[in-house]
Amino acid sequence: MKEAFQMKIEDKILDRGAVLLLANAGEQVALVGCELEELDLSDLILNGWSFEDCILKKTKFASAKLEGARFIKCKAAHADFTGAALVEAVFEQGDFNNVRFRGAHVAQARFLACKLTGADFNDARSLDATFEGCRLNDARLRGFAFKGLTLKSL
């Protein structure tokens, strides 16, 4: 997969205003080692963004557009992705304990070697999603569609 990031930001503490400015520029952004803890990023369009080694604890991405986004080695316990568009998103080697994916669109999303203990996937739309090497202890899956779902090494 070819990455076309027009901007890379490293080791910064960002607020909603800074993220909104980046989002409004319409560019794909790579955030590496950044802190976005407890920010409300609801409803933002962040398609194709990459979050690597970022702190996203209690960050709200409710109804955000995150199609094709990548979350690599992030610490995101208690983050909120309720109703977010996460089609083809990748979550890899991160801590997503007690995260809310309630009603999110996770079709073709890939969850690889993630901690998803207590994650809430109730009513998530999940056609062709992949979970590989993930911990799903106490995950909530009511209304979760298992059609085309790939489960490996759980």
Side-chain angles (χ1 to χ4, degrees), residues 3-154:
E3 295 178 357
F5 299 112
Q6 297 173 351
M7 185 176 298
K8 183 176 183 178
I9 298 172
E10 298 184 70
D11 303 319
K12 300 288 184 194
I13 298 172
L14 301 173
D15 61 15
R16 180 181 167 87
V19 176
L20 186 57
L21 281 174
L22 294 167
N24 286 341
E27 300 175 353
Q28 289 186 340
V29 177
L31 301 178
V32 180
C34 293
E35 184 177 321
L36 295 91
E37 188 169 357
E38 296 188 24
L39 290 187
D40 185 352
L41 304 178
S42 299
D43 301 309
L44 294 185
I45 299 173
L46 307 172
N47 292 327
W49 280 41
S50 177
F51 301 82
E52 185 174 341
D53 288 318
C54 290
I55 298 173
L56 305 170
K57 293 177 186 171
K58 297 184 181 178
T59 300
K60 293 181 183 175
F61 291 99
S63 299
K65 305 294 185 238
L66 291 154
E67 295 184 5
R70 298 172 46 147
F71 297 86
I72 312 299
K73 297 180 182 176
C74 292
K75 292 181 173 85
H78 299 278
D80 184 359
F81 290 91
T82 300
L86 293 160
V87 175
E88 296 183 351
V90 176
F91 296 82
E92 188 172 350
Q93 297 178 348
D95 179 355
F96 298 94
N97 288 318
N98 299 298
V99 169
R100 286 185 298 252
F101 291 101
R102 180 181 289 271
H105 193 186
V106 295
Q108 298 175 341
R110 294 183 299 149
F111 296 85
L112 309 169
C114 291
K115 295 177 186 174
L116 292 162
T117 302
D120 182 354
F121 284 95
N122 287 339
D123 302 316
R125 293 169 284 164
S126 57
L127 182 65
D128 294 329
T130 298
F131 291 85
E132 186 172 332
C134 294
R135 296 197 65 175
L136 287 162
N137 305 45
D138 298 320
R140 293 180 292 284
L141 300 165
R142 189 192 77 237
F144 187 83
F146 287 88
K147 185 174 180 175
L149 190 69
T150 300
L151 302 171
K152 292 182 183 176
S153 304
L154 300 179

